[in-house]
C-alpha cells in the first residue's frame, strides 16, 4: 500500500506490486489474465471521508522483434492474420458487447488465425476484452487513410487520437501493434510518420509500432507491413505468378525478407473472389439491404443462368480455397518471415463488392469450406511439401521436399509419414521420414520423397498426404499424372480444324464429325478474359483488370471428359489449358447449348461463357473447344489428354441433345473466319 497527497487538480501515486516468479505469461496458447483492483480512501480538507475504487485487467507479455521475426515472451511467433474493416451489415456499426467479439475471434481461431488487423480504425473496449481472453494479437490504427506531411489539421487529430487509444486500451495484452492507418499518401509522409512512430515509442513502449499498413518502410518502424510478398499485386493482372508460371509449391519470399532488418508482415494478401451466395441475402434483417446482391441476381436472371447460381458458388469457392492455400503456404515456407494479413477471411461488401472471403460478411461459413480444412494449411503447426510442379507424366519421378512450420507453444519431436493415394482411396506409395527435433521455427526440413510414376495409371488425379506422427497435424496436395505418348494420329472419320472453312462445313453437311479448336485470339469472348485464379478484389474497383472469371464449372460425368481428370471445378491441372484458351460468348446464340466446360463470369456481367460445347450442324456433329488442343502438344500433356478425350467422345455413337446451330451462327462466335 502506498499513501500520498492528491491536490485539487489530482495527482499520481505510483507503487510496485511483485507478482512473483510463478506469475503466468499471456500469449495465444495461454491467455493468462490478471485483475488489478485499486481502492482510494482518505479524507478531504474538511475531514469528510471518501472512498473510490477502480479495476483493470492486464496480462504479462513481451511482444518484440528478434531480427526479422516476431517473438512473444522470447519465443518466435508468426502472425496469421485477417483484416476487420468495420463490416457489420445488420447494424452498420461494430458491436460493443464482449460475446459478439468472442464469437468473431473464435471463428478466426477455428481457421488457424492468431491475429486481426483493424483497417483504419480502432475497435471498442469489448473487442480488446474478448481478444485478451481468446489470445488474439491485435493491430489497431488511428482511424485514418490520409495524405500526410503537409501540415493539415488531420495530422494533429491523428496524434491526439493515438494518445487517446493508448490511454484507453494500453493495458490490454492483446493490443500488440499499432499503425497510423492505411496506405498513407503525401510527398513528405515519411518524415511525418517517422516523428509519429518515435513519439508513440516514447509514450508507451509496451507494443510495436509501424508507420502505416502498406507503406512506408522507414527506419523508425518496429516492423513493416508491405504488399510485395504475395502472389498477386494490385493491377498485376495476368502477369502475376499464379497466371504466368506453371503451378508449383516451392516459391517463397526469403530474398525479400533478407532486404529488411525488422519483421515484415505481408499486406492484404489473397483477395481471391468467389461467386455471390444469394442465400446470404436473407440475413440482412437490420439497417442494410443487399441491393448489390439483388442487382447481381437480376443480371444472372436476365442472362438465363439463375439455375446455376449455387453451382457457380460451389465451383468458384473450391478454386478460391486452392488459391488461398498456395498463398498462405508460400508465406509459411519463408524463413524469417513475420507473417501475413489476409484481405480477407470474410467478405467485404464495399468498393463495388469484394467477395474475397471463405466466410460471408456475417462471419458465417460458406457451404464449400469447413474451418478444419482451412486450418490444415493455416495453423500454429503446418506440415509443408515443396513440389516442383503439379502435373507429371508417367516417365517421370514424382519428388517432394518435406518441411514444417512450427509456431506452436513448444518444440516437437516428430516424424513425417507420407502417402500417395488415388481418388478411390487406394494407397500406391507410402513412407516415413526419420524422427527429428522440430524447434519453434519454419523451414525445418523433414526429408525428401521420390516416387517413380511408371506404374501409375495415367490421366488420373492423385493425392500426396503428409502427417506428423503422434500429432493431429496433416496436410495434402493434389497432383496429376498424364501419359507420355505422341499426339493421337488423325482419324479419317473426324476432321480436326482451326477454322470453320469450306472443308469443315462440307464435312458437317455430309453428316461428318468435326473437332473445332479455333485460335483463342479469334474467339469472340464478349470481353471476358480467362485466368487460372479467380477475380482479384473485383472487376469494378480495379477498372476491369483481368482475369474476369471465377474458374470453371465442369460436368465431369460427361463422356467428353471421360478420359480427362477433373472435378466439377477448376484445379491446377487446368493451368496450361486456361493459359492457352478463351471462352466463347454463347450469349450471341439465340438458343445456346449447355457447355460441357463453362467459365464462370464476374457477377457484374454473368456472361454465358463456354469453353467446350457440342452441337449439331446440319447432319453433322461438332465439338467446339475454346481451349487450344491443337498446338505444341508434345510439350503440353494436359492439352494432349483433353484432345484425346474429346476425340474419343466424337467417335462414340451417343446422341446429341443440343439444338442445331447454323454455320452462320457459329461463325459469329469467332472473328474473321469467312469460309474459303
Amino acid at each position: 500500500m502506498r499513501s500520498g497527497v492528491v491536490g485539487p487538480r489530482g495527482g499520481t501515486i505510483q507503487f510496485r506490486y511483485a507478482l512473483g516468479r510463478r506469475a503466468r505469461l499471456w500469449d495465444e496458447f495461454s491467455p493468462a489474465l490478471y485483475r488489478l483492483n485499486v481502492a482510494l480512501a482518505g479524507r478531504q480538507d474538511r475531514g469528510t471521508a471518501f472512498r473510490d475504487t477502480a479495476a483493470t485487467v492486464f496480462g504479462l507479455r513481451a511482444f518484440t522483434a528478434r531480427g526479422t521475426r516476431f517473438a512473444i515472451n522470447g519465443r518466435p511467433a508468426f502472425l496469421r492474420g485477417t483484416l476487420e474493416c468495420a463490416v457489420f451489415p445488420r447494424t452498420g456499426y461494430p458491436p460493443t458487447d464482449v460475446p459478439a467479439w468472442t464469437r468473431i475471434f473464435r471463428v478466426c481461431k477455428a481457421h488457424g488465425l492468431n491475429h486481426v488487423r483493424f483497417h483504419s480504425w480502432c475497435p471498442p473496449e469489448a473487442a480488446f476484452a474478448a481478444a485478451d481472453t481468446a489470445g488474439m494479437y491485435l493491430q489497431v490504427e488511428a482511424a485514418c487513410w490520409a495524405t500526410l506531411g503537409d501540415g493539415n489539421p488531420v495530422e494533429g487529430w491523428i496524434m491526439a487520437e493515438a494518445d487517446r487509444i493508448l490511454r484507453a486500451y494500453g493495458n490490454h495484452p492483446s493490443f500488440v501493434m499499432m499503425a497510423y492507418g492505411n496506405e498513407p499518401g503525401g510527398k513528405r509522409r515519411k518524415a511525418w510518420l517517422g516523428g509519429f512512430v518515435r513519439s508513440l515509442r516514447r509514450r508507451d513502449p509496451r507494443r510495436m509500432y509501424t508507420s502505416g499498413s502498406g507503406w512506408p518502410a522507414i527506419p523508425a518502424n518496429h516492423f513493416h507491413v508491405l504488399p510485395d510478398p504475395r502472389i498477386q499485386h494490385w493491377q498485376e493482372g495476368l502477369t502475376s505468378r499464379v497466371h504466368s508460371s506453371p503451378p508449383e509449391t516451392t516459391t517463397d519470399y526469403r530474398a525479400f525478407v533478407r532486404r529488411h532488418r525488422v519483421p515484415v508482415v505481408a499486406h492484404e494478401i489473397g483477395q481471391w473472389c468467389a461467386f455471390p451466395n444469394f442465400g446470404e441475402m436473407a440475413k440482412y434483417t437490420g439497417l442494410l439491404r443487399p441491393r448489390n446482391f439483388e442487382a447481381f441476381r437480376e443480371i444472372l436472371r436476365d442472362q438465363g443462368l439463375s439455375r446455376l447460381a449455387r453451382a457457380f458458388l460451389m465451383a468458384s469457392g473450391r478454386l478460391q480455397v486452392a488459391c488461398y492455400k498456395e498463398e498462405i503456404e508460400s508465406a509459411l515456407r519463408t524463413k524469417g518471415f513475420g507473417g501475413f494479413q489476409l484481405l480477407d477471411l470474410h467478405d467485404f461488401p464495399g468498393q463495388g463488392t469484394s467477395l474475397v472471403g471463405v466466410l460471408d460478411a456475417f462471419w458465417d461459413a460458406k457451404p464449400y469450406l469447413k474451418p478444419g480444412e482451412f486450418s490444415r494449411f493455416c495453423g500454429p503447426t503446418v506440415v509443408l511439401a515443396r513440389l516442383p510442379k503439379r502435373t507429371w507424366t508417367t516417365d517421370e519421378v514424382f519428388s517432394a521436399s518435406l518441411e514444417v512450420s512450427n509456431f506452436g507453444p513448444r518444440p516437437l519431436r516428430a516424424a513425417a509419414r507420407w502417402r500417395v493415394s488415388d481418388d478411390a482411396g487406394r494407397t500406391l506409395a507410402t513412407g516415413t521420414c526419420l524422427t527429428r527435433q522440430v524447434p519453434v521455427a519454419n523451414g525445418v526440413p523433414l526429408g525428401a520423397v521420390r516416387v517413380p510414376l511408371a506404374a501409375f495409371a495415367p490421366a488420373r488425379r492423385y493425392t500426396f498426404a503428409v502427417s506428423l506422427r503422434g500429432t493431429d497435424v496433416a496436410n495434402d496436395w493434389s497432383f496429376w499424372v498424364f501419359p507420355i505418348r505422341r499426339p493421337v494420329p488423325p482419324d479419317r472419320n473426324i476432321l480436326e480444324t482451326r477454322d470453320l472453312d469450306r472443308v469443315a462445313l462440307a464435312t458437317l453437311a455430309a453428316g461428318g464429325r468435326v473437332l473445332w479448336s479455333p485460335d483463342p485470339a479469334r474467339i469472340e469472348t464478349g470481353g471476358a478474359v480467362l485466368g487460372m485464379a479467380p477475380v482479384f478484389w473485383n472487376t469494378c474497383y480495379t477498372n476491369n483488370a483481368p482475369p474476369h472469371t471465377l474458374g470453371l464449372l465442369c460436368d465431369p460425368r460427361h463422356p467428353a471428359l471421360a478420359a480427362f481428370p477433373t472435378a466439377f471445378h477448376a484445379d491446377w491441372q487446368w493451368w496450361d489449358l486456361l493459359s492457352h484458351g478463351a471462352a466463347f460468348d454463347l450469349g450471341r446464340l439465340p438458343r445456346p447449348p449447355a457447355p460441357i466446360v463453362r467459365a464462370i463470369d464476374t457477377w457484374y456481367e454473368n456472361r454465358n461463357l463456354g469453353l467446350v460445347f457440342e452441337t449439331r450442324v446440319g447432319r453433322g456433329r461438332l465439338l467446339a473447344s475454346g481451349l487450344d488442343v491443337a498446338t505444341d502438344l508434345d510439350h503440353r500433356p494436359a492439352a494432349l489428354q483433353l484432345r484425346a478425350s474429346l476425340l474419343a467422345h466424337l467417335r462414340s455413337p451417343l446422341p446429341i441433345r443440343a439444338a442445331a446451330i447454323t454455320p452462320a451462327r457459329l461463325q459469329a462466335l469467332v472473328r474473321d473466319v469467312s469460309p474459303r
Side-chain angles (χ1 to χ4, degrees):
M1 179 180 293
R2 175 71 63 85
S3 61
V5 177
V6 178
R9 296 183 179 179
T12 300
I13 300 175
Q14 295 183 344
F15 62 91
R16 293 178 180 271
Y17 184 87
L19 294 176
R21 295 182 178 180
R22 295 186 178 181
R24 296 176 60 191
L25 302 181
W26 182 96
D27 67 11
E28 62 186 282
F29 304 106
S30 179
L33 297 172
Y34 289 90
R35 182 180 180 89
L36 174 65
N37 297 290
V38 178
L40 180 65
R43 292 186 177 275
Q44 298 177 353
D45 291 344
R46 297 181 181 180
T48 305
F50 67 87
R51 180 180 177 84
D52 194 17
T53 61
T56 188
V57 174
F58 67 95
L60 304 177
R61 62 107 180 104
F63 191 78
T64 58
R66 284 190 169 183
T68 60
R69 280 181 171 158
F70 292 105
I72 179 72
N73 305 323
R75 186 183 69 244
F78 189 98
L79 296 182
R80 304 177 305 280
T82 186
L83 271 60
E84 212 317 298
C85 302
V87 176
F88 300 99
R90 288 196 179 96
T91 60
Y93 60 84
T96 56
D97 61 294
V98 172
W101 285 103
T102 297
R103 173 184 174 267
I104 289 172
F105 296 141
R106 185 183 299 122
V107 170
C108 290
K109 287 268 189 173
H111 288 80
L113 302 184
N114 63 358
H115 169 52
V116 174
R117 173 203 162 200
F118 290 88
H119 183 312
S120 303
W121 70 294
C122 178
E125 168 71 25
F128 291 96
D132 290 345
T133 302
M136 186 66 65
Y137 305 128
L138 304 185
Q139 176 184 318
V140 306
E141 298 174 0
C144 215
W145 190 350
T147 296
L148 303 171
D150 297 330
N152 294 322
V154 70
E155 296 170 7
W157 181 87
I158 291 171
M159 294 293 287
E161 179 71 358
D163 185 65
R164 288 188 288 266
I165 290 171
L166 293 176
R167 289 179 180 274
Y169 308 124
N171 287 341
H172 288 283
S174 57
F175 183 6
V176 299
M177 304 161 75
M178 187 174 183
Y180 116 87
N182 189 66
E183 299 174 356
K187 294 181 179 179
R188 291 178 286 274
R189 65 192 177 194
K190 289 185 178 181
W192 190 89
L193 287 166
F196 172 80
V197 172
R198 289 189 292 270
S199 175
L200 297 188
R201 291 175 66 160
R202 289 191 299 268
R203 291 187 209 183
D204 190 340
R206 294 177 293 177
R207 57 197 44 82
M208 300 179 70
Y209 301 96
T210 194
S211 54
S213 288
W215 54 75
I218 58 176
N221 288 351
H222 279 131
F223 65 99
H224 305 316
V225 183
L226 302 176
D228 301 88
R230 65 190 196 194
I231 289 179
Q232 181 111 11
H233 301 92
W234 189 258
Q235 294 293 328
E236 196 172 15
L238 299 182
T239 63
S240 69
R241 168 164 68 98
V242 72
H243 295 295
S244 63
S245 301
E248 35 79 12
T249 67
T250 62
T251 297
D252 61 38
Y253 309 115
R254 66 184 69 189
F256 175 83
V257 169
R258 292 193 190 106
R259 300 201 297 266
H260 298 276
R261 296 183 178 182
V262 298
V264 173
V265 180
H267 176 61
E268 298 183 354
I269 72 169
Q271 306 189 41
W272 309 116
C273 287
F275 198 76
N277 179 12
F278 296 124
E280 178 188 337
M281 297 168 66
K283 298 180 184 179
Y284 285 78
T285 58
L287 180 68
L288 302 182
R289 289 285 302 276
R291 297 296 192 192
N292 52 349
F293 278 25
E294 290 171 7
F296 305 149
R297 186 173 60 180
E298 183 177 346
I299 297 169
L300 190 69
R301 183 193 63 213
D302 291 346
Q303 296 282 22
L305 301 176
S306 295
R307 70 190 185 283
L308 297 174
R310 173 79 175 187
F312 284 174
L313 168 67
M314 299 300 289
S316 64
R318 292 311 304 171
L319 178 60
Q320 178 196 54
V321 172
C323 290
Y324 272 116
K325 177 176 168 65
E326 174 55 23
E327 185 90 64
I328 291 170
E329 290 183 355
S330 297
L332 293 177
R333 291 193 292 262
T334 304
K335 287 187 176 182
F337 202 26
F340 59 82
Q341 295 167 343
L342 296 173
L343 184 60
D344 195 344
L345 190 66
H346 68 319
D347 286 342
F348 182 72
Q351 292 187 351
T353 306
S354 297
L355 304 175
V356 295
V358 297
L359 308 176
D360 64 23
F362 300 87
W363 290 91
D364 293 330
K366 295 181 181 179
Y368 52 79
L369 178 75
K370 294 181 179 179
E373 180 184 352
F374 199 90
S375 63
R376 283 168 69 89
F377 57 81
C378 181
T381 302
V382 176
V383 64
L384 301 164
R386 293 184 185 252
L387 308 180
K389 55 185 180 177
R390 300 299 287 263
T391 58
W392 306 73
T393 52
T394 50
D395 64 336
E396 295 182 299
V397 176
F398 171 86
S399 64
S401 298
L402 306 184
E403 59 188 57
V404 66
S405 171
N406 176 35
F407 290 97
R410 62 188 63 85
L412 300 172
R413 185 167 178 79
R417 173 171 290 174
W418 59 268
R419 173 176 178 257
V420 176
S421 60
D422 61 16
D423 282 347
R426 293 184 292 262
T427 298
L428 287 87
T430 188
T432 302
C433 298
L434 294 176
T435 303
R436 64 156 297 165
Q437 191 73 14
V438 179
V440 179
N442 62 343
V444 182
L446 296 175
V449 174
R450 289 176 61 83
V451 179
L453 299 174
F456 279 52
R460 298 286 189 277
R461 182 185 79 98
Y462 296 93
T463 299
F464 179 59
V466 185
S467 60
L468 296 186
R469 194 165 56 185
T471 75
D472 59 357
V473 176
N475 204 352
D476 60 81
W477 300 263
S478 296
F479 69 95
W480 291 261
V481 176
F482 292 103
I484 273 291
R485 63 184 180 201
R486 296 187 181 279
V488 177
D491 189 322
R492 289 185 302 173
N493 298 316
I494 298 175
L495 174 66
E496 295 183 65
T497 183
R498 301 285 270 172
D499 300 317
L500 286 180
D501 53 18
R502 295 185 185 280
V503 174
L505 296 179
T507 300
L508 291 166
R513 303 184 179 204
V514 173
L515 175 59
W516 178 39
S517 179
D519 182 346
R522 297 164 61 187
I523 293 175
E524 292 284 5
T525 66
V529 177
L530 294 176
M532 178 64 234
V535 166
F536 178 84
W537 194 236
N538 65 63
T539 55
C540 175
Y541 198 73
T542 60
N543 195 28
N544 206 37
H548 307 134
T549 54
L550 297 154
L552 306 177
L553 178 61
C554 308
D555 181 0
R557 290 178 293 185
H558 194 285
L561 298 177
F564 186 83
T566 187
F568 70 96
H569 56 84
D571 213 330
W572 300 113
Q573 86 279 22
W574 285 99
W575 178 86
D576 173 77
L577 287 157
L578 289 171
S579 300
H580 297 80
F584 297 99
D585 181 9
L586 298 181
R588 294 170 173 266
L589 302 176
R591 296 179 63 187
I596 300 165
V597 179
R598 179 191 296 274
I600 304 169
D601 196 19
T602 171
W603 53 86
Y604 300 106
E605 301 281 350
N606 288 318
R607 288 162 287 211
N608 190 347
L609 302 177
L611 287 167
V612 178
F613 69 90
E614 187 175 30
T615 188
R616 288 185 291 111
V617 181
R619 295 166 50 206
R621 180 174 186 167
L622 177 78
L623 189 56
S625 174
L627 302 167
D628 180 3
V629 293
T631 64
D632 197 27
L633 297 183
D634 287 336
H635 302 96
R636 300 175 57 219
L640 179 64
Q641 187 62 34
L642 180 60
R643 172 179 173 265
S645 188
L646 298 178
L647 289 173
H649 175 58
L650 272 176
R651 295 188 193 98
S652 73
L654 294 173
I656 305 173
R657 297 179 180 178
I661 302 176
T662 66
R665 295 286 189 187
L666 284 172
Q667 288 163 354
L669 297 179
V670 292
R671 294 185 291 275
D672 301 324
V673 288
S674 301
R676 294 188 295 274

